Amino acid sequence: MTSNRSRQVAPGKTLRTMLGAAALACAFFATPALAATLAIGIQGEPASLDTARIGGTTWENDVLGDLFEGLVTLDPAGQYIPGAASGWDVSDDGTVYTFHLRDDANWSDGEPVIADDFVMAFQRLFDPANGAVYSSLFYPIRGAEAHTKGEQNAPALGVEALDAKTLKITLNQPTPYFPTLLAHIAASPVPSHLIEQFGNDWTQMDHIATNGAFTPTSWVSHDHIAAKKNPEFHAAADVALDGVDYYPVEDRSAGLQRFRAGGLDIVRDFSPDRYQWLEENLPGAVHLAPQLANYYFALNQRDGHPTADKRVREALNLAIRRDVIADKIMGGVVSPASGFVPEGVADYTAQAMPGLDQDMDARIARAGSLLEEAGYGPDHPLKLTLRYSTTEANKRIAVALAAMWQPLDVQTELVNAEGAVHYTELANGNFDVGRGSWVADFDDASNFLGILQSDSPKNYGSYHSQAFDDLMSKASRETDTAAREALLEKAERQALADYAVAPIYVDVSRNLVDPQLEGWEDNALNRHLSRWLSLSPEN
């Protein structure tokens, strides 16, 4: 563990201070007079409450985002504001960040949040033994990549405690969006005093301490996680809720029924084919908003899988009628995707997969020829295993894909599982075609393209292209915005030309929110911290 002894910033490193940072954190609302326990229907169960062992699913944000607070956090509108840090300084060359932790930042057991808690958190995140799915997100930190890959003679990790309340993070090169990364749940601190005592068992309910607005009290597997307000949270006086209960609801129809019956105050998704009905019957509760997110299918390129053949991947992509899926299955609330990075990402022009601009007759004809070249046909049909996570929409899309491929004599076996099991199977490579999605952690094309890099744990299809990896590496070192954009766009064109995945549509956020709940604001990240919400007790 890094020492807490004070150190001086290196000579010659003049710092520019982020002004007004602390003021942003307390400008949102006055303390409400009433309180209640919020019931949220989330899309699945977290893999863990340990930030180094989470599974990388979107619903983990709902739970861990309430339990932990990183150096940076989010306001109701999804804007970045100071979190456990009251503010920070940045060196003139943009590579050294010095964070000043709040004096009143404490763990729920009363112990102070110290800089070493962040040092240990990043050490665990980059420990190869943990296999953290989000480690690559923080590769801008000096030594992070080398430590994650277990390289010998790795440079010292660029995260160190200058004293108990001062944390220094050194980057490989200037990374203007770096502070936004620190609002990610994987950048949350860990209670080093509990890990020293209990090791990996620190998240057990009788051990755990958290530094967010809420702290867990119980976890009944596949039923719910209960959390209560954390009185040690630095802004506890402004937290309206007594607690939050998180209910995994994978059956969207059941979630809607529970919402209408008053059993849930928020449902974090609804079946898109019910949108018109919901607008007519629950207009004040329906929240549909633009989101930086995609829906795609991973194509397994490991040896022994038919999708390892590029011709097969191209044929499958050409035969997909994305407009039918978007309009008929998704009710027209999403947009068909011809690339992997969605429209609307900052400093980026969306790219398109080759061949998708042709008419369907030409696409089907080429798809048939490609499969014939690959050795498939009526006498030797292509057989695929398609995995999807259990929701009504996912099932309908999977059935639709099987039907779209059937004229090519493709036989598709559909396999479904609840979210946590599904993503475990994808991570283990037990599929040919596997449903995936990605919601931006921050507004940058690299956040999407990064999951296709060879060493990314989220690269479910095991796509590998040295040309793609080299372009991504160059982009990570490029400081000129225009040049960096060009590299990232070229990287996406490479992946799309390789038919690395099957993009389906650009998603939107879909939420049901009790109209009496206050503090909810739709935002492009679809992140909503319960600390900003209030609900009267009679609800």
Side-chain angles (χ1 to χ4, degrees):
M1 179 180 292
T2 305
S3 169
N4 276 331
R5 291 178 296 177
S6 298
R7 300 179 188 176
Q8 298 296 318
V9 177
K13 298 291 186 179
T14 305
L15 302 178
R16 59 182 184 271
T17 303
M18 173 179 274
L19 299 176
L24 288 172
C26 57
F28 293 99
F29 55 49
T31 305
L34 301 174
T37 296
L38 191 70
I40 304 179
I42 58 177
Q43 297 178 46
E45 191 166 63
S48 175
L49 297 184
D50 187 333
T51 52
R53 294 169 177 265
I54 53 180
T57 54
T58 56
W59 53 84
E60 287 169 328
N61 286 315
D62 294 320
V63 181
L64 278 78
D66 282 347
L67 304 183
F68 297 94
E69 182 180 65
L71 297 162
V72 178
T73 189
L74 296 167
D75 72 9
Q79 300 298 310
Y80 298 96
I81 61 173
S86 59
W88 54 90
D89 307 318
V90 189
S91 63
D92 285 341
D93 67 358
T95 64
V96 179
Y97 286 74
T98 305
F99 294 89
H100 311 287
L101 304 188
R102 297 178 185 275
D103 291 335
D104 55 354
N106 294 324
W107 293 100
S108 54
D109 61 3
E111 289 293 315
V113 174
I114 59 175
D116 275 334
D117 295 332
F118 285 94
V119 173
M120 179 174 285
F122 281 109
Q123 288 174 339
R124 297 177 80 250
L125 187 68
F126 304 133
D127 184 345
N130 286 327
V133 297
Y134 286 115
S135 58
S136 61
L137 195 64
F138 301 93
Y139 279 178
I141 296 175
R142 186 189 66 196
E145 182 173 5
H147 283 265
T148 302
K149 295 179 178 179
E151 296 179 4
Q152 293 187 357
N153 301 318
L157 187 63
V159 184
E160 58 182 307
L162 301 184
D163 57 44
K165 290 290 186 176
T166 309
L167 181 75
K168 176 183 174 183
I169 299 182
T170 303
L171 309 183
N172 295 311
Q173 63 271 328
T175 308
Y177 58 81
F178 179 69
T180 70
L181 300 181
L182 299 177
H184 195 282
I185 55 175
S188 303
V190 294
S192 56
H193 63 289
L194 294 182
I195 293 178
E196 290 171 355
Q197 185 175 1
F198 301 111
N200 288 332
D201 292 334
W202 72 274
T203 55
Q204 293 182 6
M205 287 298 110
D206 54 349
H207 300 327
I208 193 169
T210 64
N211 76 317
F214 300 90
T215 193
T217 56
S218 65
W219 184 348
V220 180
S221 183
H222 301 289
D223 185 79
H224 78 286
I225 298 172
K228 66 178 181 180
K229 179 179 176 178
N230 175 13
E232 295 290 339
F233 182 56
H234 63 83
D238 292 331
V239 176
L241 299 169
D242 289 327
V244 185
D245 292 337
Y246 310 88
Y247 296 91
V249 180
E250 298 201 23
D251 185 330
R252 301 311 192 254
S253 295
L256 173 57
Q257 291 174 6
R258 290 174 67 176
F259 180 81
R260 296 185 69 198
L264 295 172
D265 302 305
I266 297 171
V267 177
R268 292 290 273 132
D269 192 20
F270 58 80
S271 184
D273 62 352
R274 303 302 303 275
Y275 174 64
Q276 294 300 328
W277 184 92
L278 290 167
E279 275 285 88
E280 295 171 2
N281 292 273
L282 299 171
V286 179
H287 287 254
L288 193 73
Q291 184 180 19
L292 298 180
N294 63 17
Y295 185 108
Y296 69 96
F297 281 84
L299 303 175
N300 198 336
Q301 288 151 66
R302 298 171 178 85
D303 291 341
H305 292 268
T307 42
D309 190 324
K310 177 184 173 182
R311 294 169 296 185
V312 171
R313 300 196 302 274
E314 181 179 354
L316 295 177
N317 265 291
L318 291 174
I320 297 173
R321 300 175 183 266
R322 292 164 176 83
D323 55 340
V324 171
I325 293 174
D327 295 338
K328 305 301 182 183
I329 297 179
M330 299 301 290
V333 301
V334 301
S335 302
S338 56
F340 196 65
V341 180
E343 293 273 3
V345 172
D347 299 316
Y348 194 80
T349 300
Q351 305 298 300
M353 180 174 281
L356 298 190
D357 56 346
Q358 300 178 14
D359 64 64
M360 281 307 303
D361 289 341
R363 286 163 57 176
I364 293 297
R366 174 161 174 77
S369 297
L370 287 166
L371 291 182
E372 184 178 355
E373 289 177 19
Y376 299 103
D379 298 329
H380 182 215
L382 171 61
K383 297 181 180 181
L384 299 173
T385 298
L386 185 153
R387 287 189 175 273
Y388 65 94
S389 49
T390 307
T391 71
E392 295 168 18
N394 288 345
K395 179 179 180 180
R396 294 181 66 194
I397 291 172
V399 170
L401 288 185
M404 292 172 185
W405 293 334
Q406 192 171 20
L408 299 172
D409 298 307
V410 177
Q411 299 177 3
T412 308
E413 178 189 5
L414 304 182
V415 181
N416 73 294
E418 58 94 11
V421 174
H422 169 72
Y423 283 105
T424 297
E425 293 298 322
L426 259 59
N428 291 335
N430 297 327
F431 70 99
D432 296 317
V433 180
R435 180 262 171 185
S437 64
W438 189 256
V439 180
D441 298 306
F442 58 100
D443 186 2
D444 192 81
S446 66
N447 191 224
F448 289 92
L449 297 175
I451 69 175
L452 296 179
Q453 290 181 265
S454 299
D455 57 356
S456 171
K458 303 294 287 185
N459 183 5
Y460 297 128
S462 194
Y463 169 63
H464 175 74
S465 163
Q466 191 61 53
F468 177 85
D469 288 344
D470 288 346
L471 287 165
M472 291 298 294
S473 179
K474 290 179 182 177
S476 71
R477 298 190 300 271
E478 180 58 64
T479 57
D480 179 79
T481 300
R484 181 174 180 273
E485 177 183 350
L487 288 167
L488 291 173
E489 290 171 357
K490 187 175 181 180
E492 183 179 10
R493 289 195 297 274
Q494 177 69 54
L496 295 176
D498 291 334
Y499 299 92
V501 295
I504 304 298
Y505 61 77
V506 177
D507 209 353
V508 295
S509 63
R510 296 178 294 274
N511 293 285
L512 294 176
V513 182
D514 187 329
Q516 297 186 60
L517 186 145
E518 297 181 356
W520 178 282
E521 293 188 34
D522 294 324
N523 60 69
L525 294 176
N526 197 21
R527 294 276 304 276
H528 305 276
L529 302 183
S530 298
R531 65 176 286 193
W532 305 117
L533 306 178
S534 62
L535 189 67
S536 60
E538 56 266 26
N539 286 34

